[in-house]
Amino acid sequence: MTVITRFPPSPTGFMHIGTARTGLFNWLYARRHGGKMLFRIEDTDRSRHSEEAVQAIINGLNWMGIDWDGDVVSQFARSDRHAEVAHELVKAGKAYYCYCTPEELEQMREDAKKEGRPTFYDRRWRDNPPSAPPEGVSPVVRIKAPMSGERVVHDKVQGDVRVAAEQLDDFIILRADGTPTYMLAVVVDDHDMGVTHVIRGDDHLNNTFRQNVIYEAMGWDIPSYAHLPLILGPDGAKLSKRHGATSVEEYRDMGYLPEAMRNYLLRLGWSHGDDEIIETEQAIKWFDLEHINQGAARFDFDKLNFVNAHYMKLADNDRLADLTIDIYKLRGINVSEIGRARLMARMDELKSRAKTLVQLADDAEFLVRDIPYEFEEKAAAQLNEDGKFIVRVIHDNLTGLSAFTADELESLCKSTADYHRDGKLGKVMMPLRAAVTGKASSPSLVHAMEVLGLEEVSKRIEYALSKL
Ligand code: GLU
């Protein structure tokens, strides 16, 4: 059997990281088994539908590096097929037309409440219609749900989950206006697309009992199910805005790499022993449904930072330079060829220090900026009279160096510290750093100075001395 999974998001305008994790699991499972992952947009809610919202999902998948097989399927475009199945079920006696008015349904609920019965639809049009169909009323189609016994979902994550048939009503599959309900559309699409494995959030577990009623009525094979526990915030409450970022786009903008997000989201709900770092290639070899965690996972930003820092170190320097320059563009900083070359020259150090691309961009901004730049408050404080004196001494000695290299610069700083500051190197480096970078902390200063070059360093020092 070829494994066919599916990723059927509702286009909400952004991709929630829970949705991204679901997509990732479906993708890994399909790849693991040499199968296919199909992609369907559940776009039947036309009031909220927009092309931008669909594009946001596609962008999210592209960024995550998750691809799909075949064309993007629109659920809305398949409405006629859904209706056809509803009518087929009526013909086969598995579903029926119900002509109840909203007032009747309301009355039914009131009566049931008074008598302490479940407030479900009382199935009055199911077997013995109360009257001939009323004129001018468009009926809905309801499915005949089983009325006794136990319903079981065999779930790969949750185990066997049971519910008494009395808990299921004859739910609507086709509305009076002829449009399908979500319950019908999902089943018909999954069946027609040949889906063998449904891997989705456990907020859909209750729907599964209903969806199986439709599968059985049509005599279709029921797919295997794996319902994933929710993602919680660090405090154990459902992950929401109040915990910080919830969408894939936000994580991208915070400077996380897609391969780190894949690794992190994989581990958030699935495990392979104690392994934390699992590259995608490896994940494709290992991923299974058996090791999906049963309990909800808590989002842990420290762990995400740890995983991202790992992938930053592995990432190609050119790619990191491009991504960092993209961040500068958003900041309105235009990076010249020289700026890029400086970034590249220091990239090994930069990427080993930074947990995220944004941190890398912050750390390296002084390399790509031109004067005049702002001085951080703490940096400005370094450039008091004592600080300026030291910076002047260094400046006066720069042209006398045998070579403008980190080693030579370091010796100069050391001898200056010995001569003027009792050997306290920090008392030289701090004001010098402030003058050259505008900041109180930075990557290795002497290496940065080497990359900036004599002319630029002199210019910066002169600027700092004149400005402060
Ligand atoms: N469209 C649903 C959602 O975004 C997915 C439904 C399903 O997986 O069956 O939650």
Side-chain angles (χ1 to χ4, degrees):
M1 176 189 69
T2 308
V3 166
I4 299 187
T5 65
R6 41 51 134 200
F7 180 56
S10 310
T12 49
F14 61 91
M15 193 194 268
H16 191 275
I17 54 161
T19 309
R21 185 186 62 162
T22 303
L24 176 68
F25 282 20
N26 278 284
W27 180 77
L28 286 172
Y29 195 70
R31 293 290 167 269
R32 158 96 198 259
H33 293 280
K36 290 185 178 162
M37 184 183 90
L38 307 180
F39 180 25
R40 176 171 81 230
I41 297 281
E42 305 218 309
D43 52 356
T44 46
D45 181 354
R46 299 319 271 181
S47 62
R48 291 198 304 172
H49 184 74
S50 76
E51 273 317 306
E52 293 83 70
V54 173
Q55 201 51 50
I57 300 276
I58 293 178
N59 292 346
L61 278 183
N62 286 342
W63 182 77
M64 287 282 296
I66 296 176
D67 57 357
W68 61 90
D69 298 283
D71 295 334
V72 183
V73 175
S74 154
Q75 184 158 70
F76 176 69
R78 292 179 38 80
S79 313
D80 289 350
R81 166 68 181 148
H82 305 144
E84 178 186 294
V85 169
H87 293 301
E88 209 176 308
L89 284 169
V90 174
K91 245 189 235 138
K94 310 273 178 151
Y96 58 96
Y97 296 116
C98 164
Y99 294 86
C100 283
T101 61
E103 294 74 35
E104 276 178 281
L105 291 171
E106 189 47 43
Q107 189 60 52
M108 203 182 294
R109 263 193 295 272
E110 289 296 311
D111 293 347
K113 252 196 240 158
K114 258 185 238 150
E115 292 163 27
R117 288 186 283 113
T119 54
F120 284 156
Y121 170 68
D122 67 6
R123 298 178 156 118
R124 64 180 64 165
W125 285 90
R126 177 168 166 144
D127 296 315
N128 304 303
S131 63
E135 289 280 314
V137 178
S138 309
V140 299
V141 175
R142 288 181 183 272
I143 192 144
K144 292 183 179 173
M147 292 167 67
S148 61
E150 196 179 51
R151 312 288 305 164
V152 186
V153 169
H154 304 289
D155 191 87
K156 298 273 186 217
V157 179
Q158 321 280 338
D160 284 355
V161 187
R162 294 161 203 279
V163 70
E166 289 79 48
Q167 299 295 315
L168 300 176
D169 58 347
D170 285 359
F171 57 92
I172 297 174
I173 55 175
L174 200 67
R175 298 189 191 90
D177 64 2
T179 59
T181 58
Y182 168 69
M183 222 54 88
L184 177 68
V186 170
V187 172
V188 175
D189 289 348
D190 283 348
H191 169 77
D192 288 359
M193 292 163 78
V195 170
T196 59
H197 291 75
V198 170
I199 304 168
R200 62 184 172 194
D202 68 6
D203 46 337
H204 288 283
L205 185 58
N206 278 333
N207 292 339
T208 308
F209 291 101
R210 291 202 160 84
Q211 289 168 7
N212 284 354
V213 172
I214 304 177
Y215 278 106
E216 284 166 17
M218 286 302 290
W220 289 341
D221 287 343
I222 292 178
S224 292
Y225 290 107
H227 284 94
L228 313 174
L230 280 182
I231 299 179
L232 305 178
D235 60 357
K238 187 175 168 193
L239 185 72
S240 69
K241 278 273 156 233
R242 142 181 104 69
H243 297 106
T246 52
S247 75
V248 165
E249 294 85 334
E250 287 169 287
Y251 284 89
R252 179 199 60 204
D253 294 346
M254 280 153 62
Y256 293 98
L257 293 171
E259 59 270 37
M261 281 312 276
R262 287 198 297 273
N263 187 148
Y264 181 70
L265 290 178
L266 169 67
R267 285 286 296 107
L268 195 61
W270 180 85
S271 55
H272 185 271
D274 291 333
D275 292 323
E276 287 299 347
I277 297 296
I278 305 174
E279 288 181 26
T280 303
E281 283 297 298
Q282 189 61 63
I284 290 173
K285 293 196 180 104
W286 283 344
F287 186 74
D288 59 4
L289 303 178
E290 286 68 36
H291 291 88
I292 292 175
N293 306 339
Q294 262 192 16
R298 287 189 194 211
F299 205 91
D300 178 342
F301 287 91
D302 289 340
K303 204 174 258 182
L304 173 60
N305 284 334
F306 162 80
V307 172
N308 200 63
H310 171 86
Y311 285 97
M312 294 276 292
K313 289 189 189 86
L314 293 184
D316 174 69
N317 288 2
D318 256 310
R319 173 181 169 222
L320 290 177
D322 289 344
L323 291 170
T324 310
I325 289 171
D326 287 345
I327 295 178
Y328 292 139
K329 268 190 208 135
L330 293 175
R331 294 180 183 179
I333 303 168
N334 211 354
V335 178
S336 63
E337 278 305 308
I338 296 174
R340 190 176 195 288
R342 289 179 190 155
L343 265 183
M344 283 298 286
R346 298 307 309 143
M347 193 53 90
D348 283 339
E349 184 200 5
L350 290 166
K351 72 181 183 182
S352 71
R353 285 168 51 99
K355 292 195 176 76
T356 66
L357 287 168
V358 169
Q359 268 181 23
L360 194 158
D362 290 344
D363 269 4
E365 198 175 300
F366 75 94
L367 286 173
V368 302
R369 285 197 87 132
D370 293 325
I371 45 177
Y373 45 72
E374 297 294 319
F375 291 85
E376 269 177 9
E377 206 175 309
K378 276 190 189 158
Q382 287 294 331
L383 291 165
N384 52 17
E385 283 315 310
D386 281 354
K388 281 188 183 170
F389 169 79
I390 283 293
V391 170
R392 247 181 236 118
V393 172
I394 298 282
H395 182 251
D396 291 347
N397 284 291
L398 290 179
T399 43
L401 293 176
S402 59
F404 202 76
T405 60
D407 284 348
E408 290 294 315
L409 287 161
E410 178 138 349
S411 307
L412 172 61
C413 291
K414 278 193 181 138
S415 58
T416 307
D418 286 344
Y419 198 78
H420 293 284
R421 292 290 180 261
D422 290 335
K424 295 203 174 83
L425 190 57
K427 295 206 163 170
V428 172
M429 301 310 274
M430 297 295 279
L432 183 59
R433 169 173 291 115
V436 175
T437 70
K439 293 174 34 157
S441 69
S442 76
S444 164
L445 182 61
V446 287
H447 288 93
M449 287 168 77
E450 176 182 324
V451 162
L452 289 167
L454 171 61
E455 202 184 321
E456 177 70 20
V457 169
S458 305
K459 226 166 65 183
R460 288 182 180 211
I461 292 179
E462 284 153 25
Y463 170 70
L465 291 175
S466 69
K467 179 97 198 288
L468 295 168

